Amino acid sequence: GRWTVQEAAEQSVAAPTLAAALDSRYISSRKEERIAASKVLKGPTETPNVSKAQIIEDLEAALYASKICSYAQGLGLIKAAS
């Protein structure tokens, strides 16, 4: 997590997927702030007209793409550090 993103910065290697995962971890740990924000910010009120099967298919594709990006960024960091 943090060490990997720090090392990527030191090696001048772009690692946006890894950094976003780390950011998400930090944000999720701030429960009090998220609760306060949920009282001020409102999400959409209408349900999108998209089939559940399509949503699942899109999420599977997004997860696959994120895995490829994570591996590519990790291997890029290993290459730079070698």
Side-chain angles (χ1 to χ4, degrees):
R2 186 179 67 186
W3 291 349
T4 304
V5 173
Q6 286 175 335
E7 185 63 27
E10 289 176 14
Q11 295 292 331
S12 298
V13 173
T17 304
L18 302 175
L22 185 62
D23 291 342
S24 295
R25 190 175 83 196
Y26 290 147
I27 290 169
S28 72
S29 70
R30 300 174 131 181
K31 187 172 183 178
E32 290 179 9
E33 289 180 30
R34 289 187 288 117
I35 291 171
S38 72
K39 294 176 183 174
V40 177
L41 304 172
K42 302 296 177 200
T45 56
E46 297 179 21
T47 304
N49 188 16
V50 180
S51 72
K52 184 176 179 179
Q54 183 64 53
I55 291 171
I56 291 171
E57 184 179 326
D58 291 347
L59 287 172
E60 288 174 346
L63 177 61
Y64 183 68
S66 71
K67 286 182 179 183
I68 291 172
C69 290
S70 294
Y71 282 117
Q73 290 168 24
L75 291 172
L77 179 55
I78 290 169
K79 181 179 178 182
S82 296

Coordinates of all heavy atoms in Angstrom, one line a residue:
G1 N 0.8 -1.2 0.0 CA 0.0 0.0 0.0 C 0.8 1.3 0.0 O 1.3 1.7 -1.0
R2 N 1.0 1.8 1.2 CA 1.6 3.1 1.3 C 3.1 3.1 0.8 O 3.6 3.9 0.1 CB 1.6 3.6 2.7 CG 2.1 5.0 2.9 CD 2.1 5.5 4.3 NE 3.0 4.7 5.1 CZ 3.1 4.7 6.4 NH1 2.3 5.5 7.1 NH2 3.9 3.9 7.0
W3 N 3.8 2.0 1.2 CA 5.2 1.9 0.8 C 5.3 1.8 -0.7 O 6.3 2.3 -1.3 CB 5.9 0.7 1.5 CG 6.1 0.9 3.0 CD1 5.9 2.1 3.7 CD2 6.5 -0.1 3.9 NE1 6.2 1.8 5.0 CE2 6.5 0.5 5.2 CE3 6.8 -1.4 3.8 CZ2 6.9 -0.2 6.3 CZ3 7.2 -2.1 4.9 CH2 7.2 -1.5 6.2
T4 N 4.4 1.0 -1.3 CA 4.5 0.8 -2.8 C 4.3 2.2 -3.5 O 5.0 2.5 -4.4 CB 3.4 -0.2 -3.2 OG1 3.6 -1.4 -2.5 CG2 3.4 -0.4 -4.7
V5 N 3.3 2.9 -3.0 CA 3.0 4.2 -3.7 C 4.2 5.2 -3.4 O 4.6 5.9 -4.4 CB 1.7 4.8 -3.2 CG1 1.5 6.2 -3.7 CG2 0.5 3.9 -3.6
Q6 N 4.8 5.2 -2.3 CA 6.0 6.0 -2.0 C 7.1 5.6 -2.9 O 7.8 6.4 -3.5 CB 6.4 5.8 -0.5 CG 5.5 6.6 0.4 CD 5.9 6.3 1.9 OE1 6.5 5.3 2.2 NE2 5.5 7.2 2.8
E7 N 7.3 4.3 -3.0 CA 8.4 3.8 -3.9 C 8.2 4.2 -5.4 O 9.1 4.6 -6.1 CB 8.6 2.3 -3.8 CG 9.8 1.7 -4.5 CD 11.1 2.3 -4.0 OE1 11.2 2.7 -2.8 OE2 12.1 2.3 -4.8
A8 N 6.9 4.1 -5.8 CA 6.6 4.5 -7.2 C 6.9 6.0 -7.4 O 7.5 6.3 -8.4 CB 5.1 4.3 -7.4
A9 N 6.6 6.8 -6.4 CA 6.9 8.3 -6.5 C 8.5 8.5 -6.6 O 9.0 9.2 -7.4 CB 6.3 9.0 -5.4
E10 N 9.2 7.8 -5.7 CA 10.6 7.9 -5.7 C 11.3 7.4 -7.0 O 12.3 7.9 -7.4 CB 11.2 7.1 -4.5 CG 10.9 7.8 -3.2 CD 11.4 6.9 -2.0 OE1 12.2 6.0 -2.2 OE2 11.0 7.3 -0.9
Q11 N 10.7 6.4 -7.6 CA 11.2 5.9 -8.9 C 10.6 6.6 -10.1 O 10.9 6.2 -11.2 CB 10.8 4.4 -9.0 CG 11.5 3.5 -8.0 CD 13.0 3.4 -8.1 OE1 13.5 3.5 -9.2 NE2 13.7 3.2 -7.0
S12 N 9.8 7.6 -9.9 CA 9.1 8.3 -11.0 C 8.3 7.4 -11.9 O 8.3 7.5 -13.1 CB 10.1 9.1 -11.8 OG 10.8 10.1 -11.0
V13 N 7.6 6.5 -11.2 CA 6.7 5.5 -12.0 C 5.3 5.8 -11.7 O 4.9 5.9 -10.5 CB 7.1 4.1 -11.5 CG1 6.1 3.1 -12.2 CG2 8.5 3.7 -11.9
A14 N 4.5 6.0 -12.7 CA 3.1 6.3 -12.5 C 2.4 5.0 -11.9 O 2.6 3.9 -12.5 CB 2.4 6.7 -13.8
A15 N 1.6 5.2 -10.9 CA 0.9 4.1 -10.3 C -0.5 4.6 -9.8 O -0.8 4.5 -8.6 CB 1.7 3.5 -9.1
P16 N -1.3 5.1 -10.7 CA -2.6 5.7 -10.3 C -3.6 4.7 -9.7 O -4.3 5.1 -8.8 CB -3.1 6.4 -11.6 CG -2.4 5.7 -12.7 CD -1.1 5.3 -12.1
T17 N -3.6 3.5 -10.2 CA -4.5 2.5 -9.7 C -4.1 2.2 -8.3 O -5.0 2.0 -7.4 CB -4.5 1.3 -10.6 OG1 -4.9 1.7 -11.9 CG2 -5.6 0.3 -10.1
L18 N -2.9 2.0 -8.0 CA -2.4 1.6 -6.7 C -2.6 2.8 -5.7 O -3.1 2.6 -4.6 CB -0.9 1.3 -6.7 CG -0.5 0.1 -7.7 CD1 1.0 -0.1 -7.7 CD2 -1.2 -1.2 -7.2
A19 N -2.4 4.0 -6.2 CA -2.6 5.2 -5.3 C -4.1 5.4 -5.0 O -4.5 5.7 -3.9 CB -2.1 6.4 -6.0
A20 N -5.0 5.1 -6.0 CA -6.4 5.2 -5.8 C -6.9 4.2 -4.8 O -7.8 4.5 -3.9 CB -7.2 5.1 -7.1
A21 N -6.3 3.0 -4.8 CA -6.7 2.0 -3.9 C -6.3 2.4 -2.4 O -7.0 2.2 -1.5 CB -6.0 0.6 -4.2
L22 N -5.1 3.0 -2.3 CA -4.7 3.5 -1.0 C -5.5 4.6 -0.5 O -5.9 4.6 0.6 CB -3.2 3.9 -1.2 CG -2.5 4.4 0.1 CD1 -2.5 3.2 1.1 CD2 -1.1 4.9 -0.2
D23 N -5.9 5.5 -1.4 CA -6.8 6.6 -1.1 C -8.1 6.1 -0.6 O -8.7 6.6 0.4 CB -7.0 7.6 -2.3 CG -5.8 8.4 -2.6 OD1 -4.9 8.5 -1.8 OD2 -5.7 8.9 -3.8
S24 N -8.7 5.1 -1.3 CA -10.0 4.5 -0.9 C -9.9 3.9 0.5 O -10.8 4.0 1.3 CB -10.4 3.5 -1.9 OG -10.6 4.1 -3.1
R25 N -8.8 3.3 0.8 CA -8.6 2.7 2.1 C -8.6 3.8 3.2 O -9.2 3.6 4.2 CB -7.3 1.9 2.2 CG -7.2 1.0 3.4 CD -6.0 0.1 3.4 NE -4.8 0.9 3.8 CZ -3.6 0.6 3.7 NH1 -3.3 -0.5 3.0 NH2 -2.6 1.3 4.1
Y26 N -7.9 4.9 2.9 CA -7.8 6.0 3.9 C -9.2 6.6 4.1 O -9.7 6.9 5.2 CB -6.9 7.0 3.5 CG -5.4 6.6 3.6 CD1 -4.5 7.1 2.7 CD2 -5.0 5.7 4.6 CE1 -3.1 6.7 2.8 CE2 -3.6 5.3 4.7 CZ -2.7 5.9 3.8 OH -1.4 5.5 3.9
I27 N -9.9 6.8 3.0 CA -11.3 7.4 3.1 C -12.2 6.5 3.8 O -13.0 7.0 4.6 CB -11.8 7.7 1.6 CG1 -11.0 8.9 1.0 CG2 -13.3 8.1 1.7 CD1 -11.3 9.1 -0.4
S28 N -12.2 5.2 3.6 CA -13.1 4.3 4.2 C -12.9 4.2 5.7 O -13.8 3.9 6.5 CB -13.0 2.9 3.6 OG -11.8 2.3 4.0
S29 N -11.7 4.6 6.2 CA -11.4 4.6 7.6 C -11.9 5.8 8.4 O -11.9 5.8 9.6 CB -9.9 4.4 7.9 OG -9.2 5.6 7.5
R30 N -12.4 6.8 7.6 CA -12.9 8.0 8.2 C -14.4 8.0 8.3 O -15.1 8.8 7.7 CB -12.4 9.2 7.4 CG -10.9 9.3 7.3 CD -10.5 10.4 6.4 NE -9.5 11.2 7.0 CZ -9.0 12.3 6.5 NH1 -9.3 12.7 5.3 NH2 -8.0 12.9 7.2
K31 N -14.9 7.1 9.1 CA -16.4 6.9 9.2 C -17.1 8.1 9.7 O -18.2 8.4 9.1 CB -16.7 5.7 10.1 CG -18.1 5.3 10.1 CD -18.4 4.0 10.9 CE -19.9 3.7 10.8 NZ -20.2 2.4 11.4
E32 N -16.6 8.8 10.7 CA -17.4 10.0 11.2 C -17.5 11.0 10.1 O -18.6 11.6 9.9 CB -16.6 10.6 12.4 CG -16.7 9.7 13.6 CD -16.0 10.3 14.8 OE1 -15.5 11.5 14.7 OE2 -15.8 9.6 15.8
E33 N -16.5 11.2 9.3 CA -16.6 12.2 8.2 C -17.6 11.7 7.1 O -18.3 12.5 6.5 CB -15.2 12.4 7.5 CG -14.3 13.2 8.4 CD -12.9 13.4 7.8 OE1 -12.8 13.5 6.5 OE2 -11.9 13.4 8.5
R34 N -17.6 10.4 6.8 CA -18.5 9.9 5.8 C -19.9 10.1 6.3 O -20.8 10.4 5.5 CB -18.2 8.4 5.5 CG -16.9 8.3 4.7 CD -16.7 6.8 4.2 NE -16.3 6.0 5.4 CZ -17.1 4.9 5.8 NH1 -18.2 4.6 5.2 NH2 -16.6 4.2 6.8
I35 N -20.2 9.8 7.6 CA -21.5 10.0 8.1 C -22.0 11.5 8.0 O -23.1 11.8 7.6 CB -21.6 9.5 9.6 CG1 -21.5 8.0 9.6 CG2 -22.9 9.9 10.3 CD1 -21.3 7.4 11.0
A36 N -21.1 12.4 8.4 CA -21.4 13.8 8.3 C -21.7 14.2 6.9 O -22.6 15.0 6.6 CB -20.3 14.6 8.9
A37 N -20.9 13.7 5.9 CA -21.1 14.1 4.5 C -22.4 13.5 4.0 O -23.1 14.2 3.2 CB -19.9 13.5 3.7
S38 N -22.8 12.3 4.5 CA -24.0 11.7 4.0 C -25.3 12.5 4.4 O -26.3 12.4 3.8 CB -24.2 10.3 4.5 OG -24.4 10.2 5.8
K39 N -25.1 13.3 5.4 CA -26.2 14.2 5.9 C -26.4 15.4 5.0 O -27.4 16.0 5.0 CB -26.1 14.5 7.4 CG -26.2 13.3 8.3 CD -25.9 13.6 9.7 CE -26.0 12.4 10.5 NZ -25.6 12.6 11.9
V40 N -25.3 15.8 4.4 CA -25.3 17.0 3.6 C -25.4 16.7 2.1 O -26.2 17.4 1.4 CB -23.9 17.8 3.8 CG1 -23.9 19.0 2.9 CG2 -23.7 18.2 5.2
L41 N -24.7 15.7 1.6 CA -24.8 15.3 0.2 C -25.8 14.2 0.0 O -25.9 13.3 0.7 CB -23.4 14.8 -0.2 CG -22.2 15.7 0.1 CD1 -20.9 15.0 -0.2 CD2 -22.3 16.9 -0.8
K42 N -26.6 14.4 -1.1 CA -27.6 13.5 -1.5 C -27.3 12.9 -2.8 O -26.8 13.5 -3.7 CB -29.0 14.1 -1.5 CG -29.4 14.8 -0.2 CD -29.6 13.8 0.9 CE -29.9 14.5 2.2 NZ -29.7 13.7 3.3
G43 N -27.5 11.6 -2.9 CA -27.2 10.9 -4.2 C -28.4 10.9 -5.1 O -29.4 11.6 -4.8
P44 N -28.4 10.2 -6.2 CA -29.5 10.2 -7.1 C -30.8 9.6 -6.4 O -30.7 8.7 -5.6 CB -29.0 9.3 -8.2 CG -27.8 8.6 -7.8 CD -27.3 9.3 -6.6
T45 N -31.9 10.1 -6.9 CA -33.2 9.6 -6.3 C -33.9 8.6 -7.2 O -34.7 7.9 -6.8 CB -34.1 10.8 -6.0 OG1 -34.3 11.6 -7.3 CG2 -33.5 11.7 -5.0
E46 N -33.5 8.6 -8.5 CA -34.1 7.7 -9.5 C -33.2 6.5 -9.7 O -31.9 6.7 -9.7 CB -34.3 8.5 -10.8 CG -35.3 9.6 -10.7 CD -35.5 10.3 -12.0 OE1 -35.3 9.7 -13.0 OE2 -36.0 11.4 -12.0
T47 N -33.8 5.4 -9.9 CA -33.0 4.2 -10.2 C -32.8 4.2 -11.7 O -33.7 4.3 -12.5 CB -33.8 2.9 -9.8 OG1 -34.2 3.0 -8.4 CG2 -33.1 1.7 -10.1
P48 N -31.5 4.0 -12.2 CA -31.2 3.9 -13.6 C -31.9 2.8 -14.3 O -32.1 1.7 -13.6 CB -29.7 3.7 -13.7 CG -29.2 3.8 -12.3 CD -30.3 3.8 -11.3
N49 N -32.3 2.9 -15.5 CA -33.0 1.9 -16.2 C -32.0 1.0 -16.9 O -31.8 1.1 -18.2 CB -34.0 2.5 -17.3 CG -34.8 1.5 -17.9 OD1 -35.0 0.4 -17.5 ND2 -35.4 1.9 -19.0
V50 N -31.3 0.2 -16.1 CA -30.3 -0.7 -16.7 C -30.5 -2.1 -16.0 O -30.8 -2.2 -14.9 CB -28.8 -0.2 -16.3 CG1 -27.8 -1.1 -16.8 CG2 -28.6 1.2 -16.8
S51 N -30.4 -3.1 -16.8 CA -30.6 -4.4 -16.3 C -29.6 -4.9 -15.3 O -28.4 -4.5 -15.4 CB -30.7 -5.4 -17.5 OG -29.4 -5.7 -18.0
K52 N -29.9 -5.7 -14.4 CA -29.0 -6.2 -13.4 C -27.9 -7.0 -14.1 O -26.7 -6.9 -13.7 CB -29.7 -7.0 -12.4 CG -28.9 -7.5 -11.2 CD -29.7 -8.3 -10.2 CE -28.8 -8.8 -9.1 NZ -29.5 -9.5 -8.1
A53 N -28.2 -7.8 -15.1 CA -27.2 -8.6 -15.8 C -26.2 -7.7 -16.4 O -25.0 -8.0 -16.4 CB -27.9 -9.4 -16.8
Q54 N -26.6 -6.5 -17.0 CA -25.7 -5.6 -17.6 C -24.8 -5.0 -16.6 O -23.6 -4.8 -16.8 CB -26.4 -4.5 -18.4 CG -25.5 -3.5 -19.2 CD -24.7 -4.2 -20.2 OE1 -25.3 -4.9 -21.1 NE2 -23.4 -4.1 -20.2
I55 N -25.3 -4.6 -15.5 CA -24.5 -4.0 -14.4 C -23.4 -5.0 -13.9 O -22.3 -4.7 -13.8 CB -25.4 -3.6 -13.2 CG1 -26.2 -2.4 -13.6 CG2 -24.5 -3.2 -12.0 CD1 -27.3 -2.0 -12.6
I56 N -23.8 -6.3 -13.8 CA -22.9 -7.3 -13.3 C -21.8 -7.5 -14.4 O -20.6 -7.6 -14.1 CB -23.6 -8.6 -13.0 CG1 -24.5 -8.4 -11.8 CG2 -22.6 -9.8 -12.9 CD1 -25.4 -9.6 -11.5
E57 N -22.2 -7.5 -15.7 CA -21.2 -7.7 -16.7 C -20.2 -6.5 -16.8 O -19.0 -6.8 -16.9 CB -22.0 -7.8 -18.1 CG -21.1 -8.1 -19.3 CD -21.9 -8.2 -20.6 OE1 -23.0 -8.6 -20.6 OE2 -21.3 -7.7 -21.6
D58 N -20.7 -5.3 -16.6 CA -19.9 -4.2 -16.6 C -18.9 -4.2 -15.4 O -17.7 -3.8 -15.5 CB -20.7 -2.9 -16.6 CG -21.5 -2.6 -17.9 OD1 -21.2 -3.3 -18.9 OD2 -22.4 -1.8 -17.9
L59 N -19.4 -4.6 -14.2 CA -18.6 -4.6 -13.1 C -17.5 -5.7 -13.2 O -16.3 -5.5 -12.8 CB -19.4 -4.9 -11.8 CG -20.2 -3.7 -11.3 CD1 -21.2 -4.2 -10.2 CD2 -19.4 -2.6 -10.9
E60 N -17.8 -6.8 -13.8 CA -16.8 -7.8 -14.0 C -15.7 -7.3 -15.0 O -14.5 -7.6 -14.7 CB -17.4 -9.1 -14.6 CG -18.3 -9.9 -13.6 CD -19.0 -11.0 -14.2 OE1 -19.2 -11.1 -15.4 OE2 -19.5 -11.9 -13.4
A61 N -16.1 -6.6 -16.0 CA -15.1 -6.1 -17.0 C -14.3 -5.0 -16.3 O -13.0 -5.0 -16.5 CB -15.8 -5.5 -18.2
A62 N -14.9 -4.2 -15.4 CA -14.1 -3.2 -14.7 C -13.1 -3.8 -13.8 O -12.0 -3.3 -13.6 CB -15.1 -2.2 -14.0
L63 N -13.5 -4.8 -13.1 CA -12.6 -5.5 -12.1 C -11.5 -6.1 -12.9 O -10.3 -6.0 -12.4 CB -13.4 -6.6 -11.3 CG -12.6 -7.4 -10.4 CD1 -11.9 -6.5 -9.3 CD2 -13.4 -8.5 -9.7
Y64 N -11.7 -6.8 -14.0 CA -10.7 -7.4 -14.8 C -9.7 -6.3 -15.3 O -8.5 -6.5 -15.2 CB -11.3 -8.1 -16.0 CG -10.3 -8.8 -16.8 CD1 -9.6 -9.9 -16.3 CD2 -10.0 -8.4 -18.1 CE1 -8.7 -10.6 -17.1 CE2 -9.1 -9.1 -18.9 CZ -8.4 -10.2 -18.4 OH -7.5 -10.9 -19.2
A65 N -10.2 -5.2 -15.7 CA -9.3 -4.1 -16.2 C -8.5 -3.5 -15.1 O -7.3 -3.2 -15.3 CB -10.2 -3.0 -16.8
S66 N -9.1 -3.4 -13.9 CA -8.3 -2.8 -12.8 C -7.2 -3.8 -12.3 O -6.1 -3.4 -11.9 CB -9.2 -2.5 -11.6 OG -9.7 -3.7 -11.0
K67 N -7.5 -5.1 -12.4 CA -6.4 -6.1 -12.1 C -5.3 -6.0 -13.1 O -4.1 -6.0 -12.7 CB -7.0 -7.5 -12.1 CG -7.8 -7.8 -10.9 CD -8.3 -9.2 -11.0 CE -9.1 -9.6 -9.8 NZ -9.6 -11.0 -9.8
I68 N -5.6 -5.8 -14.4 CA -4.5 -5.7 -15.4 C -3.7 -4.4 -15.1 O -2.5 -4.4 -15.1 CB -5.1 -5.6 -16.8 CG1 -5.7 -7.0 -17.2 CG2 -4.1 -5.2 -17.8 CD1 -6.5 -7.1 -18.4
C69 N -4.4 -3.3 -14.8 CA -3.7 -2.0 -14.5 C -2.8 -2.2 -13.3 O -1.7 -1.7 -13.3 CB -4.7 -0.9 -14.3 SG -5.6 -0.4 -15.8
S70 N -3.3 -2.8 -12.2 CA -2.5 -3.0 -11.0 C -1.3 -3.8 -11.3 O -0.2 -3.5 -10.8 CB -3.4 -3.7 -9.9 OG -4.4 -2.9 -9.5
Y71 N -1.4 -4.9 -12.0 CA -0.3 -5.8 -12.3 C 0.7 -5.0 -13.2 O 1.9 -5.0 -12.9 CB -0.7 -7.1 -13.0 CG -1.2 -8.1 -12.1 CD1 -2.5 -8.6 -12.2 CD2 -0.4 -8.6 -11.1 CE1 -3.0 -9.5 -11.3 CE2 -0.9 -9.6 -10.2 CZ -2.2 -10.0 -10.4 OH -2.7 -11.0 -9.5
A72 N 0.3 -4.3 -14.2 CA 1.1 -3.5 -15.1 C 1.9 -2.4 -14.3 O 3.1 -2.3 -14.5 CB 0.3 -2.9 -16.2
Q73 N 1.2 -1.8 -13.4 CA 1.9 -0.7 -12.6 C 2.9 -1.4 -11.6 O 4.0 -0.8 -11.4 CB 0.8 0.1 -11.8 CG 0.0 1.0 -12.8 CD -1.2 1.6 -12.1 OE1 -1.3 1.7 -10.9 NE2 -2.2 1.9 -12.9
G74 N 2.5 -2.5 -11.0 CA 3.5 -3.1 -10.1 C 4.7 -3.6 -10.8 O 5.8 -3.5 -10.3
L75 N 4.5 -4.2 -12.0 CA 5.6 -4.7 -12.8 C 6.5 -3.5 -13.3 O 7.7 -3.7 -13.3 CB 5.2 -5.6 -13.9 CG 4.6 -6.9 -13.5 CD1 3.9 -7.7 -14.7 CD2 5.6 -7.8 -12.8
G76 N 5.8 -2.4 -13.6 CA 6.6 -1.2 -14.0 C 7.5 -0.7 -12.9 O 8.6 -0.3 -13.1
L77 N 7.0 -0.8 -11.7 CA 7.7 -0.4 -10.5 C 8.9 -1.3 -10.3 O 10.0 -0.9 -10.0 CB 6.8 -0.3 -9.3 CG 7.5 0.1 -8.0 CD1 8.2 1.4 -8.1 CD2 6.4 0.1 -6.9
I78 N 8.7 -2.6 -10.4 CA 9.7 -3.6 -10.2 C 10.8 -3.4 -11.2 O 12.0 -3.4 -10.9 CB 9.2 -5.0 -10.3 CG1 8.3 -5.3 -9.0 CG2 10.3 -6.0 -10.4 CD1 7.5 -6.6 -9.1
K79 N 10.4 -3.1 -12.5 CA 11.4 -2.9 -13.6 C 12.2 -1.6 -13.3 O 13.5 -1.7 -13.4 CB 10.7 -2.8 -14.9 CG 11.6 -2.5 -16.1 CD 10.8 -2.4 -17.4 CE 11.7 -2.2 -18.5 NZ 11.0 -2.0 -19.8
A80 N 11.6 -0.6 -12.8 CA 12.3 0.7 -12.5 C 13.3 0.5 -11.4 O 14.3 1.1 -11.4 CB 11.3 1.8 -12.2
A81 N 12.9 -0.3 -10.4 CA 13.7 -0.5 -9.2 C 14.9 -1.5 -9.5 O 15.8 -1.6 -8.6 CB 12.9 -0.9 -8.0
S82 N 14.8 -2.2 -10.5 CA 15.8 -3.3 -10.8 C 17.1 -2.7 -11.5 O 17.1 -1.7 -12.1 CB 15.3 -4.4 -11.7 OG 14.2 -5.0 -11.1

